[in-house]
Each structure stands twice: as C-alpha cells, then as structure tokens.
Amino acid sequence: MWSPCTACSTNIPFFERGLVVVNDTFHPYESLDELSAHLSTVEEDVYCVDQVTKRQTAIISASNLLEQIANRDTIELIQHGEFESHLQPIVHLDTGERFGYEALLRSRNNVSPGELFRAANRFGLHSKLDQRARAEAIKATYHAVAPHEKTFINFLPSTIYNPDYCLQHTFEIIDQYGLSPDRFIFEVVETEKVQDVAHLQHVFSTYKKRGMKVALDDVGAGFSTLDMLKRLEPDYVKIDRSYISFCDQDAEKRTFLKNVRQLTKSMDITILAEGIERAEEVDVCRELGFDLAQGYYFGKPSPYSL
C-alpha cells in the first residue's frame, strides 16, 4: 500500500488564532491580520501554535510566514481545493479520427494553471499539486475517455524524487478505477527544464515497467538532440508549437519538421504536432507524414460531463 513521502504530504496550516513563538517567547494573536502586523516587526525564525489542537507550523522566517499568509488562498486551493481535468482532443492526421486527449489541470475557481504551479513551486507544494493533477487526469479518463482512446498526462520529473516509491500513488489510482495501464501516456511538460537525464530515464523506465507509454514535449526546443532521444527512448514526441505555427509560410520550419519526422520514423517514435490552429498547418504536417495532431483547430480543452 502506498504511503505519502515528505514532499507529497507537505502541509501548510493556517491558524486563525493562536500563539506565534519568537525566540521561545509566546505571543497570542486573534486573527491572521493581527499575526501579520506582528510578523512585520520580526526578523527571526518563528512558528505558530494552535492552542486548541496543540498543532504547530514549521519553523520558518517571519518574512516567509508573512508571504504564506499573503498567499493563503492559493495555498489552500492547492492543498484542499477542488480541481478537474479539461480534455483537449488529439487526432490521427491521416484519417482525422480521434486518438485520445491531453488532460490539463484546471481549478474550479478559475485560478490559472501557471499561477498554481508557480505558487506550488514557491511554497514546496509542487509534488502535491503534480500528484493531484495526475489523479484528476486518471479520473477524467475513467469517466470520459473511450477504452480505445489514450490520455496524455503531464508530469514534472522534479516532483518525483524516487520513482519506484513516488509513483505508486498514481498506479494505485489507475488500479482502483480498473483501467488498463496502456491507456496512459505520461508526458514531460514543456515548462520543466530537465537537468538530470539519468533521473528522467528512471522515471520513464518505471512508467514503462507498468505498461504505460512516455512522451517528450517541446521537441525542437528543450529536447532537440539526437542524443537525448536515444538516451530517453520516448514512445511519443511532441513538436514545439513554435515550429508548427505558420510552417506553411516558413521554409526553415518545414525543413526542421521534415528532418525530425525522418529521425523519429527511424527510431519508431510516434510524432505529434501540437498547437495547430490553421488548415494550412494541418496540410504541411500531413504531407510530411506526421502521425498525430493537437491544437485549437481540432478543439480547445474543455470540461467533461459525468
């Protein structure tokens, strides 16, 4: 049975009233506004105590606690708020039939994904948010994706400290819903700057051992080298949208797309063009022999119905 690691179980509590401890001295406060006013005059490390439950916060600098309080709505959303996955269609370029979807995390109160992940990274909650995103994507697959279709699920390698341990939560949710592992393609998101290739190899290997496929996003930018593709051996690659946009009007882009198509074909890698918004871009990618496509031309991310 899976149990959460420290990163996944990180919790930032907010006590509306209690005691703030500075240099072993206890100072009572009756509201977070009162606590903030007091912290603004403090330079030392502090922690808070709930007098009823005797729970304590972590020991941090007064300035960091002030920042947490200022961002408490976003922090509480990440920890306890309601999320859902929006699904964006992915199609076969040769037939136009739907291949599957990419699952994209959205909050019920419309806080942008960028803001959520920036806050999660700032306050040490990125593992928790990434885990919640994977769980919502699996739930969406169960409720809204046909058994013969696939779901791309984003993940951040930096949130998976020990793949053999950290990913068990994801695998258990898939098992709980009774879903076949081969319905999922786990994708390194474009915002992630991979520094430790060996670690990403381990993550990919862990997914593959459980019967899932893996994908690289951002090919042409972050993952452009032949060496990277050989080392990671992805099942799918997504071509950076900057190379797709108006490729019909740019000979250099078309040359790049042709070369990467030849490379991926020689390595038996399925290639996907993302960010397609125009029929002319569809035509170029189809003529070059791309396998799959995604973008507003085929459909925007949208919520699913139960």
Side-chain angles (χ1 to χ4, degrees), residues 200-259:
L200 184 53
Q201 285 177 309
H202 189 183
V203 176
F204 273 14
S205 175
T206 304
Y207 278 127
K208 288 184 175 185
K209 286 177 182 176
R210 293 298 297 259
M212 302 160 198
K213 302 296 185 181
V214 294
L216 284 180
D217 199 353
D218 211 21
V219 170
F223 301 107
S224 59
T225 68
L226 173 61
D227 177 65
M228 184 70 80
L229 293 179
K230 286 184 174 179
R231 292 179 66 184
L232 293 174
E233 298 181 321
D235 302 292
Y236 296 80
V237 296
K238 286 188 170 184
I239 303 304
D240 184 64
R241 63 187 306 162
S242 65
Y243 288 91
I244 301 298
S245 181
F246 290 92
C247 58
D248 55 299
Q249 301 176 19
D250 190 319
E252 289 187 6
K253 289 183 179 181
R254 292 196 300 276
T255 297
F256 170 81
L257 296 176
K258 180 180 179 180
N259 290 340

Side-chain angles (χ1 to χ4, degrees), residues 44-97:
E44 295 84 358
D45 289 345
V46 302
Y47 66 94
C48 295
V49 180
D50 185 323
Q51 291 179 282
V52 176
T53 65
K54 307 305 179 184
R55 292 174 62 207
Q56 298 182 3
T57 65
I59 299 174
I60 58 174
S61 68
S63 60
N64 283 345
L65 181 54
L66 268 173
E67 188 177 6
Q68 287 182 358
I69 294 171
N71 291 274
R72 64 184 179 274
D73 289 344
T74 303
I75 291 172
E76 291 285 52
L77 172 61
I78 292 169
Q79 295 185 140
H80 310 296
E82 292 189 5
F83 291 104
E84 62 184 358
S85 276
H86 285 199
L87 300 176
Q88 184 173 27
I90 295 170
V91 303
H92 292 278
L93 262 176
D94 57 349
T95 65
E97 294 179 355

